[in-house]
Amino acid sequence: MNDTPFVPSFDDDSASTGRKLAIICSKGNLDMAYPGLILANAALGEGIETHLFFTFWGFDMINKKTMEHLKFSYLGNTAMHPPGAFGVSMPQGMAGLPGVTALTTAMMKKQIADLDVPEVPEFLELIHGSGGHLWACRMSADMMKLHEEDLYEGVEGIISATDFIELTDGAQLLFI
Amino acid sequence: MPTTTIAGRTLDVNEEGFMTNPDQWDEALGAELAKLIGLEMTEAHWAPIRFLRTDFAAMHETPTLRRVSTQAGIAVKDLFALFPGKPAKKMAYVAGLPKPKGCV
């Protein structure tokens, strides 16, 4: 090695080179809430400007009344197997029985908590605190008759799809 | 394994330049590492760095940003202000530790 110290490249100019990520969250199931939150958090940790747009059922992720109570059902998910029991199938019919969704939700929440991954409201705080931008969909708000006061405080505004497309000009986009 | 010389010391580093031997680190070196990435250490900077060191000693793993925030009681926003851009990686570098592996 020569005398110049070998220092990791932190690409501090990535903000100025303008890498942006836009994530559209359209699902309100517990298992479908996490991919967007985890990727947003990872992107923010890499210094990437990140915008999340909550639309349709994804509104449940930012609605104060529902954000803590997202549920997981394996109805319609033929890939479902019990935790760790790969190759063991679970009868689809069972998923529709009363109480099963509560059970599978509790199981999934425990698995997530065991990894020290926060629940949805705390995750939104983490993203907000990391400088992530949270946007609510105008049409969804109108359909559900919801207003800014009904939504998680970190949501910057209720905006139209056009607004979102405008402000994520040049961004990489994920639809979840 | 590559080495590099920083502040007159020969350090074991990985292919990205992160230190691989935590025992080669002390706070004087941490301050030098910080300078190399454009940071001037203050007491506010040292608080999370000291947490990283004690947590790594206990857990054998570099804490993620969220873990630093929840366990050391420092707001994520403040960590971003102290170590702009990529706080988790920058803190790990200054603390002479590997990059955090956890997702969240």
Side-chain angles (χ1 to χ4, degrees), chain A residues 1 6 8 12 46 116 122, chain B residues 3-4 16 66 89-90:
Chain A
M1 302 295 290
F6 175 37
D12 274 342
E46 284 297 292
D116 199 27
E122 196 195 330
Chain B
T3 59
T4 187
E16 285 185 278
R66 172 166 183 269
K89 280 187 184 171
K90 286 185 176 176

Side-chain angles (χ1 to χ4, degrees), chain A:
Chain A
M1 302 295 290
N2 58 25
D3 289 345
T4 312
F6 175 37
V7 180
S9 160
F10 289 102
D11 295 325
D12 274 342
D13 53 351
S14 73
S16 56
T17 58
R19 186 170 173 196
K20 271 190 193 184
L21 180 64
I23 304 178
I24 298 175
C25 298
S26 73
K27 301 276 204 300
N29 315 87
L30 182 66
D31 53 328
M32 290 310 284
Y34 276 90
L37 297 173
I38 290 169
L39 289 166
N41 183 56
L44 290 161
E46 284 297 292
I48 296 166
E49 180 183 328
T50 304
H51 296 263
L52 290 97
F53 188 63
F54 298 90
T55 185
F56 274 78
W57 307 115
F59 237 70
D60 281 6
M61 293 169 66
I62 51 166
N63 180 343
K64 281 183 199 159
K65 285 207 175 75
T66 52
M67 59 201 263
E68 283 173 70
H69 309 292
L70 303 188
K71 293 183 173 60
F72 167 63
S73 168
Y74 68 90
L75 194 63
N77 176 6
T78 53
M80 176 68 181
H81 54 72
F86 306 105
V88 176
S89 65
M90 295 190 44
Q92 283 288 301
M94 217 169 81
L97 297 178
V100 173
T101 297
L103 179 73
T104 48
T105 300
M107 281 169 71
M108 181 168 282
K109 281 197 171 191
K110 182 176 181 302
Q111 284 181 290
I112 291 168
D114 284 349
L115 295 177
D116 199 27
V117 171
E119 294 211 19
V120 172
E122 196 195 330
F123 217 140
L124 290 172
E125 288 216 40
L126 177 61
I127 290 171
H128 181 57
S130 303
H133 301 280
L134 307 171
W135 305 101
C137 161
R138 160 63 51 205
M139 182 178 157
S140 307
D142 291 347
M143 276 172 68
M144 299 179 199
K145 300 187 170 42
L146 291 169
H147 307 281
E148 280 191 22
E149 59 269 26
D150 301 310
L151 306 176
Y152 167 67
E153 290 84 3
V155 172
E156 289 179 45
I158 301 177
I159 62 173
S160 71
T162 308
D163 294 336
F164 185 72
I165 294 296
E166 264 178 24
L167 68 87
T168 57
D169 184 23
Q172 294 165 319
L173 190 138
L174 279 173
F175 183 88
I176 296 172

